[in-house]
Amino acid sequence: MHIDDARLLTRRELLAHGFDDSEIRGRRRRGELCLVRRGAYSRPGALSDRPEARHAVEVRAAVGQVSPDAVVSHLSAAVLHGLPVWGDPLRRVQMTRARRSGARLTGNLHVHAAPLEPGEIVTVGGLAVTSLPRTLVDVARQVGFEQAVVVADAALWRRSVTREELDLALATARGRPGVPAARRALAFARWGSESVGESRSRVAMMHAGIPEPVLQWEVWSTAGVLLGRADFGWPGLRTFGEFDGREKYGRLVPSGTTARDVVYAEKRREDAMRGEDLGAVRWGWSDLDPFAPTAARLRRTFRP
């Protein structure tokens, strides 16, 4: 067995292939093995710097150390479902056992005890994971409003879950702690926020008293030509808004073009939209907290 061939190695696997504990310790000292969690290792450089990617590896390492009936849940399940997690350090792997009691909390593991219906368990990458509707409800019961909206918006944007499925999951969870908060967050979630920044912007607008925008607003010319699509639109106020995150331009760079080409095309799009007598406001990550100056710019730009 060559260590460099594996992404995640357990102590049991290493021992089975002829390594002993002293050699494992030696390889760790020399930097040839990295500790993922107790009894699980990876080769150097195998773990991504992205928190979600690293957490997914930690989840796989933890599964073999917990009771076989434990199901990956909450934020850990959201990570395995491929959803973005904002505002949480992901220090603990979270799992759920279908029991009335027996919850366990340690520095890097949280095992919940709660009812689990067979239809609420799916398989993701070979692991038992709570279904997406159940996961979103559990997350929204546990984390803050803004964090819950970010995760739910992403699921709705990808059309991975329906509003009806969320309503059913909420009804099934009735009586559990945090359900009223989950109901508020999931009711606010919308299709149309394609990034964490856009979801956080919607929450900031709500707190600032800004009218609810149309998401992914299509702007057409008087001649019936589609000029572009804005992240946020207020048709009755003749204004559109754009959240500028770095990833926005990175994912829009097609083969054979440069980021400069994309920025230039973006400017031409905005100029064409402004030409329809529309006001425009742009903001970025640094403008989200505090959002008050951006909210003031929006109010000044609105054209009743």
Side-chain angles (χ1 to χ4, degrees):
M1 180 184 193
H2 297 289
I3 286 178
D4 287 347
D5 294 338
R7 180 182 179 87
L8 181 69
L9 295 163
T10 65
R11 175 178 175 273
R12 182 179 300 176
E13 289 171 329
L14 289 169
L15 294 177
H17 283 82
F19 294 86
D20 58 30
D21 285 327
S22 63
E23 188 172 2
I24 293 173
R25 289 193 295 269
R27 287 180 176 266
R28 284 189 60 194
R29 284 195 301 270
R30 294 192 298 272
E32 297 170 8
L33 276 178
C34 298
L35 181 68
V36 176
R37 61 185 292 125
R38 186 173 64 85
Y41 310 89
S42 74
R43 61 179 175 80
L47 295 181
S48 169
D49 290 334
R50 290 184 57 248
E52 289 94 342
R54 182 180 179 91
H55 189 70
V57 178
E58 293 170 346
V59 169
R60 291 190 173 278
V63 165
Q65 302 174 355
V66 184
S67 174
D69 66 344
V71 177
V72 181
S73 63
H74 296 74
L75 285 175
S76 295
V79 166
L80 294 192
H81 281 294
L83 298 175
V85 173
W86 171 82
D88 191 283
L90 296 174
R91 292 194 185 98
R92 292 188 178 95
V93 171
Q94 297 192 74
M95 308 184 77
T96 295
R97 298 182 68 189
R99 303 177 60 178
R100 285 180 167 272
S101 61
R104 180 156 60 102
L105 180 66
T106 67
N108 57 14
L109 179 68
H110 189 173
V111 179
H112 303 261
L116 266 176
E117 300 296 330
E120 295 178 319
I121 304 173
V122 298
T123 301
V124 178
L127 301 180
V129 181
T130 51
S131 66
L132 191 49
R134 168 65 186 258
T135 296
L136 293 174
V137 170
D138 282 345
V139 167
R141 289 193 304 113
Q142 184 183 52
V143 304
F145 181 88
E146 188 174 17
Q147 294 169 278
V149 169
V150 164
V151 179
D153 272 1
L156 289 170
W157 171 251
R158 300 173 190 185
R159 302 191 187 280
S160 302
V161 70
T162 66
R163 183 65 61 181
E164 292 72 24
E165 288 171 330
L166 290 178
D167 290 341
L168 178 60
L170 282 167
T172 303
R174 185 180 293 116
R176 296 176 195 162
V179 168
R183 189 174 291 112
R184 289 191 294 271
L186 296 182
F188 185 80
R190 297 280 187 278
W191 178 90
S193 287
E194 60 178 347
S195 70
V196 173
E198 290 178 30
S199 295
R200 292 190 60 205
S201 294
R202 290 203 311 113
V203 175
M205 290 177 204
M206 179 196 70
H207 289 313
I210 297 295
E212 183 174 354
V214 174
L215 303 182
Q216 306 304 320
W217 182 40
E218 293 184 340
V219 178
W220 297 77
S221 72
T222 53
V225 176
L226 178 62
L227 301 176
R229 188 181 67 179
D231 296 335
F232 309 98
W234 293 267
L237 299 172
R238 308 297 298 162
T239 300
F240 65 91
E242 297 277 3
F243 176 80
D244 286 337
R246 289 184 180 180
E247 73 278 2
K248 180 175 186 175
Y249 298 104
R251 68 170 178 262
L252 292 177
V253 179
S255 177
T257 63
T258 66
R260 184 175 181 178
D261 296 329
V262 172
V263 171
Y264 178 67
E266 179 75 4
K267 183 180 185 305
R268 293 193 63 183
R269 177 188 70 94
E270 182 174 315
D271 287 345
M273 293 164 67
R274 286 178 183 267
E276 294 298 307
D277 190 32
L278 296 176
V281 178
R282 286 183 174 273
W283 62 91
W285 289 107
S286 61
D287 302 308
L288 289 176
D289 188 15
F291 191 73
T294 303
R297 286 166 53 210
L298 282 168
R299 292 190 181 96
R300 288 195 300 269
T301 308
F302 287 156
R303 304 175 183 181

